[in-house]
Amino acid sequence: MSDNVGLSTPRGSGTSGYVQRNLAHMKPRDRDRAAPYPRDLDHLKHRQRQPDKGILEHDRKREVEVKVFELRDQLEDEGVEEDEIDRRCDALRKELREKMNEPGRDDASAPRRGLKAHQVHELADAKIKESERLRNALKISKDYEEGGHWKRQEERLRKALDRESAGKRDDRD
């Protein structure tokens, strides 16, 4: 044994007596250093994930191109001439893009139409529209803050107590 570390004798311990430092030991954190989590609870509030407009637009364009490709495949199977196929595909593409870009077109009334878990941007967009519809139906203002009623009530109570304590001080004088 050296420097009072380890066993006095390795006999009967089932070890060689070789001493190593504990690499799994975690030192306690310093109180003055920053914690790995935020100290304020406002930071932990739920924030709605915003969908990427570019990805949503890409998916819409891709849907158009899929329909055009299906038409092209069908016409090729029927043996239609290449010029006629191109003309019909261009006409369908133009029609679908016009439908897609209509200003009155809004998917807010449409349900989530069987979105898959990997379609996170579409899900986020559908969730925002659903929340907006619900907020409008319940007549909740856009600047609503959760727990705001209790904060205002607490402020009113605090002001009343301050007025009451100030009134008692005036009576003493």
Side-chain angles (χ1 to χ4, degrees), residues 98-136:
E98 285 174 1
K99 276 187 184 176
M100 185 178 75
N101 293 329
E102 283 178 5
R105 181 182 173 272
D106 189 18
D107 293 333
S109 61
R112 288 194 190 176
R113 61 172 160 65
L115 295 173
K116 308 260 188 306
H118 68 274
Q119 296 173 309
V120 292
H121 296 279
E122 289 87 348
L123 285 170
D125 190 40
K127 184 64 177 175
I128 288 172
K129 289 176 181 175
E130 179 184 359
S131 298
E132 186 69 22
R133 276 196 324 271
L134 182 65
R135 190 179 59 72
N136 288 337

Side-chain angles (χ1 to χ4, degrees), residues 78 126 156 165:
E78 293 174 2
R156 278 189 240 124
S165 65

Side-chain angles (χ1 to χ4, degrees), residues 55-65 67 92-107:
I55 291 176
L56 292 174
E57 183 68 22
H58 173 76
D59 286 343
R60 285 189 208 106
K61 288 179 181 177
R62 187 174 180 278
E63 286 177 20
V64 168
E65 292 302 320
K67 290 178 183 175
L92 178 65
R93 183 179 291 118
K94 184 178 179 184
E95 176 188 340
L96 292 174
R97 284 193 179 162
E98 285 174 1
K99 276 187 184 176
M100 185 178 75
N101 293 329
E102 283 178 5
R105 181 182 173 272
D106 189 18
D107 293 333

